[in-house]
Structure formats: C-alpha cells, structure tokens
Amino acid sequence: MTDAAVGSGRPGAVAPGTAPPPVQLPPMVAAEHRAAVTVLRESYAALPTGTPVRLAKRTSNLFRFRDPAPRPAGRRGGRQGPGVPGTTAGLDASAFARVLHVDPAARAAVVGGMTTYEDLADATLRHGLMPLVVPQLKTITLGGAVTGLGIESTSLRNGLPHESVTAMEILSGDGRVVTATAAGEHAELFRGFPNSYGTLGYALSLTIELEPVAPFVHLRHFAFASPQACMEAIAQIAADGSLHGHRADFVDGTAFGLDEIYLTVGAYSDVAPWRSDYTGQRIYYQSVRGPREDFLTIRDYLWRWDTDWFWCSRPFGVQNPVVRKLWPRRYRRSDVYRSLVAFDRRHGLSGALNANRGRPPREAVIQDVEIPVDRGAEFLRFFAAEVGMSPVWLCPLRLRSEVPWPLYPLQPGEVYVNFGFWGTVPLPPGRGEGHHNRLIEAEVTALGGHKGLYSTSFYSEDEFWAAYNGAAYARLKSTYDGGGRLSGLYEKCVRGR
C-alpha cells in the first residue's frame, strides 16, 4: 500500500514576505463587494461616538463569555444599539461571509472575513485544493483565525493561518478601509493584525494561498509511554518530515495521561482500502487508542474533531450510545455545544446545581498554549500535577516566517507544541476563581511559551504587555484607531470589555 506522492513542499506556494500576483475578482463579484464595503463603512461612521462596537455574529468560538453578541440594529430581536445609551452596537458584516473567488491556477482564494472554514473548505476542495491551515472547528471564520490566531495539524510544516495570507482588506478603527500586504504602505498593520482580536479593525477580505490535496488521508497512531518520548518524536518529525517511514503531512496528538500519549501522523493518499466515519455512532478521539491505522476522506479528516468538539460533547451526554442515537446528526457540531455552554454560563445552571448538591465550585480551564518542544514534557508533568484534566490535545507548529509576528512573538525556526485543554476542575478549598488559570499562565511564561487569548486571562497589565509586545501594539493602535473607537487588547482579552 502506498501513499500518494503529494509532497509537503507546497508546490506553487508563495514564500512568506513576498508579493504574489494579485488575484482578480470577476467583475460582478468585485462590484458587489465594493458596494458592501461602502455600506459597512457608512454604517460604522453612523455609530454614535462612545458606543462600544461589536460584530453582529451568529456564532462565536471565543470563551470570554459576555452578553450575547448583538444582532444588527433594527433586525427582529436585535438590540437597537445606535442611539441607545449603554448598549452595544452590532455592526452587520454578513455581506462578508462568502468566498469571493477561487483561482485554481494561482492556488489562491479571495475570501470575505466572516466566511467560515466550513464554507471555505467546501469551495476549495471542489478544485482539489485547501487552505494551508484549516482550524478544526467548522464555524471558525477566516478573519477570526487571522486576528485571533488558529492552528491545526498542518502547522508544523505550514505555520499558522495568518502566514498564508498575502493581502488583507481591513476596516480600521478610525474608519478607513486599507489594503495591508507584507511589503506595502500598511506592512506594519499586516504583521501586527494577527492576535489583535478586532481591536485594530476588521478584516473585510483576505487573499490566501491554497495547497493541493489528495482524496484521502492515511492515519497512523503512534503510542508513547512518557511525555519525553513523545516530545523527542515531535522533534524528529520536525527534522525528517516523517515518523517510522510514514510521511507527516499532518500531525497532532492526544494525551490521556502521562503514560498514554498518542501522535497521529497523517499522509495524503490516493487510495483508501476502507474509510472510517466519525460523524455517526463512532467517536474520533476514542479511535486513536486503536487500531493503529485509519483512513478518512480529506473532508472528514478536516472536521474529525468538530462532531464531538474534540471530547467536550461528554457533559451533554452525546457520547452515551443511547443519547447519541436520539441526538440529531445535524446538531452534533461544535457551534451547537458552544451555544449550550454559553446558555449555561449566562444562567449559572451548572454552578447552582453543584451548590445544591454540596459539591465544590468548579473553575473553567479553557486554554491553548504554545510551549517550546524541549520544554513540552515539563509542561505536561506540571499540568498533570496541578490541574489533572484529560485528555489534552497536542499540536506541533513552526512558523513559516523568518521574522516573528509582533503581537504573538514566537521565534522563527523554533518548534513549539500547542497544548489544548478545555473543561472544568474543582477549586481547592479556600481558592477563588482563576486559581488554576493563573498557575498555568505563570508556568507558560516560565517555560518560554505563549498563551492564546480567545479565553479568559488573568495577567496584570505589565505581565500582559511584556508577553504581547505592548510597544508595537501601542504604535498600531495610535495609527489605526487613534480615537479608541474599538476596545484595547488588554481591555478586551483580560477585562472582558
């Protein structure tokens, strides 16, 4: 059995920092897009000064829970943000939720910033192509993955999603619409937009690179009995591009405990002697424990985690065979589970139930952190001792860029491992909310790592700006949102404004 000879060298890919030929939109699509930009810019200008601005979105993958994101003003059920003191204005960016154009010859696409990766992947897979990095949840948007960072199992060879973006059209906080590229007038914004979380502006369209795919992914699950052995294998894959002769077009891992860790290495394949399906009764994360080999279609591979939101569908009973049969397949999705969590948080249902049963309060520990691979074993041992949550997701990465991205300054050439953990743990007696999260933040800093900001953070201002390049952010904020129409990064990501 042989895998397809689809190499990992990204044939036709554009080297980071170079200017590719522009992708031309069809005339009618270009005209429609220009009209949508005009409407959005006028809507933004019409918002009263001092009114907090948020995008009106149907779904969210953030875990900084606040009031529900507002609907566009004037829609049924939506808040009337403009003109109503103390309310939040919902900026309707729904016109930017589509794929504008796929150019198979250039291996590139122009995509609205509100487009979900589910829609984007469907559009590109029709041409035998996909984005270089496809985050694992269907309703993550391209604009969200760029301004808030994203990662997946191609990140060891392809970096992070923003590194395959070649141009961004951005509505800045001061109301301008600018096109940012690596070498143009707005090059500083281009490099500073990742990890800015909508505090400098909103991406209206993005031009991204694509890579060719094969119909199937051939998976092998490799078991490790210690964190150190797993980290050594990741370093080997980074050096060789394979593990035990199996090409690593994709690689991620699952840690069930310190003595039970799996790396799943995927290779593109033109053939599949069988095809597994994890959208029905079978559950993907349980499959990595055996058998050791598997095949998925490329589309099913991209969304292998979404059906059960990794393993986070457990609290809803969806992994119980009886409940699973009754739970409609169309509702086995990450956005459905996230909505249920948001409802619970809003009404305090789980907290009240725990209190009524005399159980200790629980702390939400929902984070993704990047740790240098040579310190990864230390982090796993710390996490097992201090937090004790399992499973933990592992995803190796290495920047494509030869220079760091200012607001999330990972070091070029360095191999990191993303550790993702999402759930709740009981608070020790006498400890308050944030106990475990603060321990993790301190350990990440001590190990030379970085923490993603999509979830709650507890850093002091000095700690925060030391980690996320406060000087660079201040320059960008002054240049592109000098009036402070949009929340600041610390205010949004730590203070929850």
Side-chain angles (χ1 to χ4, degrees):
M1 185 185 309
T2 59
D3 296 316
V6 181
S8 59
R10 299 182 306 277
V14 176
T18 62
V23 177
Q24 299 297 324
L25 295 180
M28 184 174 294
V29 173
E32 291 172 352
H33 179 72
R34 287 195 300 270
V37 170
T38 298
V39 169
L40 185 70
R41 192 174 182 182
E42 291 172 349
S43 298
Y44 186 71
L47 296 177
T49 302
T51 302
V53 179
R54 289 169 63 188
L55 288 179
K57 299 175 67 176
R58 293 183 296 108
T59 62
S60 174
N61 288 282
L62 293 178
F63 274 79
R64 298 189 299 271
F65 287 98
R66 302 173 295 191
D67 290 337
R71 297 174 183 268
R75 289 191 176 186
R76 183 180 179 184
R79 301 184 186 191
Q80 301 297 317
V84 180
T87 63
T88 299
L91 191 64
D92 183 7
S94 58
F96 304 93
R98 65 170 180 155
V99 178
L100 297 169
H101 183 56
V102 177
D103 186 335
R107 290 179 182 161
V110 183
V111 185
M114 295 285 284
T115 306
T116 67
Y117 272 94
E118 181 178 25
D119 291 342
L120 175 55
D122 283 347
T124 61
L125 287 176
R126 285 196 288 269
H127 300 278
L129 301 166
M130 77 172 197
L132 271 60
V133 182
V134 179
Q136 54 279 91
L137 304 181
K138 291 178 175 179
T139 56
I140 292 175
T141 63
L142 179 58
V146 169
T147 193
L149 302 188
I151 191 170
E152 234 293 313
S153 59
T154 57
S155 287
L156 187 58
R157 62 184 179 86
N158 287 343
L160 300 175
H162 60 270
E163 296 193 277
S164 52
V165 173
T166 58
M168 292 184 281
E169 181 186 28
I170 297 169
L171 172 66
S172 63
D174 58 14
R176 289 178 288 164
V177 174
V178 302
T179 298
T181 61
E185 175 187 357
H186 303 286
E188 189 174 9
L189 178 63
F190 179 84
R191 296 202 66 82
F193 199 68
N195 209 48
S196 65
Y197 281 87
T199 66
L200 300 175
Y202 301 115
L204 306 184
S205 69
L206 306 98
T207 304
I208 63 167
E209 301 171 64
L210 306 173
E211 72 173 13
V213 302
F216 307 105
V217 180
H218 178 193
L219 304 180
R220 287 183 178 166
H221 308 301
F222 298 93
F224 299 89
S226 73
Q228 190 61 41
C230 180
M231 296 304 116
E232 290 172 357
I234 289 172
Q236 179 190 330
I237 294 169
D240 300 340
S242 64
L243 184 63
H244 299 309
H246 190 69
R247 194 179 61 249
D249 293 322
F250 307 88
V251 58
D252 66 350
T254 309
F256 294 94
L258 293 181
D259 59 352
E260 189 187 6
I261 307 172
Y262 300 89
L263 286 182
T264 298
V265 181
Y268 282 125
S269 179
D270 282 326
V271 298
W274 71 87
R275 306 177 194 178
S276 293
D277 178 4
Y278 296 105
T279 63
Q281 293 303 296
R282 300 175 65 194
I283 297 170
Y284 175 73
Y285 83 93
Q286 295 175 356
S287 75
V288 305
R289 289 172 138 162
R292 295 289 185 253
E293 190 173 23
D294 207 350
F295 288 86
L296 292 171
T297 67
I298 179 60
R299 190 181 192 280
D300 284 350
Y301 177 80
L302 292 179
W303 307 127
R304 67 201 183 283
W305 293 117
D306 191 84
T307 301
D308 284 286
W309 206 22
F310 286 84
W311 32 80
C312 297
S313 64
R314 289 180 301 185
F316 309 108
V318 183
Q319 296 181 25
N320 180 301
V322 175
V323 175
R324 198 172 187 85
K325 288 181 180 178
L326 298 175
W327 195 292
R329 186 184 295 242
R330 68 182 181 276
Y331 295 137
R332 295 180 208 149
R333 291 174 54 99
S334 59
D335 54 336
V336 172
Y337 306 135
R338 199 272 181 191
S339 296
L340 293 174
V341 171
F343 182 86
D344 176 68
R345 291 287 187 89
R346 197 156 55 243
H347 297 285
L349 302 180
S350 294
L353 185 61
N354 275 336
N356 289 337
R357 292 178 174 177
R359 296 176 179 173
R362 299 181 69 87
E363 178 183 5
V365 181
I366 300 171
Q367 296 193 31
D368 278 76
V369 302
E370 272 85 45
I371 305 294
V373 67
D374 59 0
R375 310 297 297 274
E378 292 177 65
F379 181 81
L380 274 178
R381 289 192 291 267
F382 153 82
F383 189 82
E386 297 293 341
V387 182
M389 184 189 299
S390 69
V392 172
W393 186 54
L394 287 65
C395 187
L397 70 144
R398 178 170 47 195
L399 294 182
R400 294 178 71 208
S401 177
E402 296 178 356
V403 294
W405 298 83
L407 303 191
Y408 204 77
L410 301 176
Q411 293 305 306
E414 177 95 58
V415 176
Y416 294 85
V417 179
N418 174 285
F419 297 96
F421 35 91
W422 318 287
T424 64
V425 292
L427 281 166
R431 299 292 186 177
E433 180 69 20
H435 167 71
H436 295 97
N437 285 282
R438 289 176 188 272
L439 288 176
I440 293 166
E441 289 178 350
E443 186 70 7
V444 169
T445 299
L447 296 177
H450 294 274
K451 167 185 167 174
L453 298 175
Y454 70 89
S455 186
T456 308
S457 297
F458 295 87
Y459 295 110
S460 69
E461 283 199 63
D462 287 344
E463 291 171 327
F464 184 86
W465 292 123
Y468 301 104
N469 201 342
Y473 180 77
R475 288 194 303 272
L476 288 165
K477 190 70 169 173
S478 175
T479 302
Y480 293 97
D481 187 26
R485 289 295 308 273
L486 304 174
S487 296
L489 189 62
Y490 184 78
E491 285 69 31
K492 186 169 188 175
C493 295
V494 180
R495 292 177 175 163
R497 296 179 182 172

